[in-house]
Amino acid sequence: MAMRAFAMMGSRAVAQMPRCAAAGKRQAFGGAQVVGRRWASYHFAESHEYVKVDGDVGTIGITQFAADNLGEVVFVELPEVGATFDKTDSFGSVESVKAASDVYMPVGGEITSVNEELSESQELVNNDPMGDGWFAKIKIADKGELASLMDEAAYKAFCEDSKH
Amino acid sequence: MPAASTLLRPALRIARLPRLPIYHRLCIEEALFYKTSDNWFVYSEGPPSDPPTVVLGISGKPERMCNLELVQQDGIPLVRRFSGGGTVIVDSDTIFTSLIVNQTDVPHVQPYPREVMEWSKGIFGPALAALAPPSGGSAVQLGLRENDYVFGDLKFGGNAQAISKGRWLHHTSFLWAYSPEVMRYLTLPEKRPAYRRDRPHASFLTPLHRHIAQRDDFCPAVVEALASQFEVREAPHAEIEDIIDALGGAAAWAAACRTKFVGPDGKALPDAAAAAAAAAVAEAVAQ
């Protein structure tokens, strides 16, 4: 997401994150409520995209923080399946009521599928950006790139700092 | 030795463009936004003589936003811009301004639509307040209602933004005068700000000429207001041309950029048709 806060970064260590028993449990996160979400496999970019890692497959989208601040999403431009992008390349855009904002690859990879639901149900981005509002799935090119992303705690601190 | 306060202000280039059709203007803005790293304030000198042109946001659908039968009957061009936001009709009664800013130069402004709007109020508000009202009128106070610039609950300026790689663009179409004949090319939007309710264009909009006396004073007043936060410097036309030349020239950039002439179906016109449309508009402006 082309929205960057300018907080000084804290720890960016992204190791194997502990699984948190979040099923059915609400967690406050940057003002958003997360229900039933296991954060262990989520990694976050300063530009407010996330990648959820499952083996070599990543699911990418924008975070709740980004969605909340953009406002009502009215259109999502998604990439072509088969396209490849490097880390930080723009792979699409999100349009809210007044702003068109580029979105960026948190890690490099090949697009293996896109969320066709978003063509008709853009509200999924605002309502569940890290679940049903995902943008694309990718075959991650280099899992080593995950090391430069934030874990949940660091991202939460990053978002809090950006408010000041 | 410059004063310390001067040293701390980021630079802002003033692009005072000649009279250009909105399509060409938007292509230039897109280049300045995506292909330079400078801060810019872009405006056109002198009232343009654009024929009416419908300008859609990046995902705008002509069939939803326009009275297509009238648009096609009257040969009104449709242009899709690279920023978000709604659909406007741009003609000689529109004052179009654009701010392009690096986030690092305004770190206190979060790069989100509402925050940018709030910041812009600190620019346009003082600019408007400094201008003489029409005879018998009183000084104006800029308000924000949802995403609009208003006096009271009457809109006089609409905004759209683009956000990319640590930069954001905020452009505004100010309504200098209101023409019901021109407004009929637009439908009542499906998505409307709540404060509009079901008011038609005539009851919702207020032209700027009712509130400030001299059109030509507006943009210089904005530059003056920007000078409180930036070190402003005018960019010569030749420099703007050099930027476009570095992208392969106007034709090559027009083919590459997101700003496009579109048909009633919302799809970009083929290059030849787009070139013809651009030439027709440019000829109309030149007359």
Side-chain angles (χ1 to χ4, degrees):
Chain A
M1 190 70 257
M3 298 175 294
R4 299 184 54 166
F6 289 91
M8 292 299 292
M9 278 307 304
S11 167
R12 301 188 189 199
V14 177
Q16 185 67 34
M17 288 188 278
R19 291 183 179 278
C20 63
K25 188 175 176 181
R26 287 185 177 271
Q27 294 182 16
F29 176 73
Q33 298 295 314
V34 178
V35 179
R37 185 83 58 234
R38 294 193 309 183
W39 292 94
S41 61
Y42 283 83
H43 307 250
F44 302 89
E46 286 187 16
S47 48
H48 301 283
E49 292 88 3
Y50 70 85
V51 55
K52 177 185 173 186
V53 178
D54 184 2
D56 290 333
V57 176
T59 302
I60 60 177
I62 65 170
T63 67
Q64 190 73 62
F65 182 87
D68 288 347
N69 281 286
L70 262 184
E72 181 186 353
V73 172
V74 298
F75 181 74
V76 181
E77 180 186 9
L78 295 172
E80 297 286 330
V81 173
T84 58
F85 298 93
D86 293 332
K87 179 180 166 72
T88 73
D89 281 352
S90 174
F91 71 92
S93 65
V94 175
E95 184 182 358
S96 63
V97 173
K98 282 297 178 182
S101 187
D102 291 342
V103 289
Y104 301 97
M105 296 286 282
V107 292
E110 177 187 347
I111 305 297
T112 58
S113 64
V114 297
N115 189 351
E116 303 282 359
E117 292 291 319
L118 296 183
S119 63
E120 293 296 327
S121 302
Q122 300 87 10
E123 69 277 5
L124 291 173
V125 179
N126 292 111
N127 296 339
D128 189 19
M130 301 179 68
D132 292 339
W134 61 277
F135 284 11
K137 294 188 188 293
I138 63 172
K139 181 179 177 185
I140 299 173
D142 178 4
K143 293 183 77 173
E145 291 181 339
L146 296 170
S148 64
L149 301 178
M150 292 176 270
D151 62 12
E152 177 201 358
Y155 180 65
K156 184 175 180 181
F158 180 76
C159 293
E160 287 298 321
D161 284 347
S162 73
K163 296 176 188 175
H164 302 122
Chain B
M1 184 79 175
S5 60
T6 302
L7 291 172
L8 295 174
R9 289 183 297 174
L12 180 106
R13 322 284 302 284
I14 307 297
R16 190 159 54 110
L17 301 179
R19 288 167 47 177
L20 288 173
I22 188 63
Y23 167 74
H24 295 91
R25 161 80 185 257
L26 287 168
C27 288
I28 291 172
E29 286 186 13
E30 191 173 343
L32 297 181
F33 179 56
Y34 286 109
K35 301 300 183 180
T36 79
S37 57
D38 297 318
N39 301 315
W40 296 92
F41 175 62
V42 188
Y43 72 100
S44 296
E45 53 186 350
S49 55
D50 284 39
T53 301
V54 171
V55 179
L56 301 126
I58 194 167
S59 66
K61 294 177 172 53
E63 71 275 13
R64 289 188 183 172
M65 308 306 294
C66 306
N67 283 315
L68 278 181
E69 187 177 338
L70 276 173
V71 164
Q72 291 180 276
Q73 171 186 297
D74 293 351
I76 302 300
L78 301 172
V79 172
R80 182 188 307 290
R81 63 180 185 265
F82 60 95
S83 57
T87 301
V88 296
I89 185 91
V90 175
D91 65 358
S92 57
D93 289 329
T94 310
I95 302 174
F96 205 80
T97 69
S98 298
L99 276 160
I100 298 171
V101 180
N102 292 312
Q103 285 177 238
T104 49
D105 290 327
V106 286
H108 55 289
V109 181
Q110 290 299 306
Y112 310 124
R114 186 64 193 173
E115 285 78 0
V116 169
M117 281 285 294
E118 289 287 347
W119 175 83
S120 74
K121 185 181 175 185
I123 301 297
F124 290 114
L128 288 164
L131 296 172
S135 176
S138 54
V140 294
Q141 185 165 7
L142 172 64
L144 299 179
R145 294 293 297 270
E146 298 184 47
N147 296 298
D148 297 333
Y149 293 134
V150 297
F151 298 128
D153 69 346
L154 296 174
K155 175 180 176 178
F156 69 93
N159 302 283
Q161 295 163 352
I163 305 169
S164 181
K165 285 198 183 291
R167 286 162 69 72
W168 48 261
L169 172 143
H170 177 78
H171 47 207
T172 306
S173 55
F174 295 96
L175 193 65
W176 176 252
Y178 172 81
S179 167
E181 290 73 33
V182 167
M183 287 295 169
R184 69 198 175 107
Y185 294 117
L186 302 182
T187 58
L188 195 64
E190 293 170 5
K191 287 187 185 294
R192 302 189 286 276
Y195 81 100
R196 176 172 186 165
R197 302 181 297 281
D198 292 326
R199 289 184 283 167
H201 298 311
S203 304
F204 173 58
L205 302 171
T206 183
L208 203 50
H209 74 78
R210 289 184 186 162
H211 307 278
I212 62 175
Q214 297 294 331
R215 176 178 181 152
D216 288 346
D217 292 344
F218 177 66
C219 288
V222 175
V223 172
E224 187 74 24
L226 286 166
S228 68
Q229 298 196 33
F230 296 91
E231 193 64 32
V232 298
R233 183 174 72 83
E234 188 150 335
H237 291 170
E239 190 170 332
I240 310 295
E241 290 168 2
D242 287 345
I243 292 170
I244 302 300
D245 285 345
L247 297 171
W253 175 241
C257 70
R258 298 180 186 183
T259 303
K260 295 290 184 202
F261 282 103
V262 297
D265 58 0
K267 295 182 180 176
L269 295 181
D271 287 347
V281 172
E283 186 178 337
V285 170
Q287 289 175 353

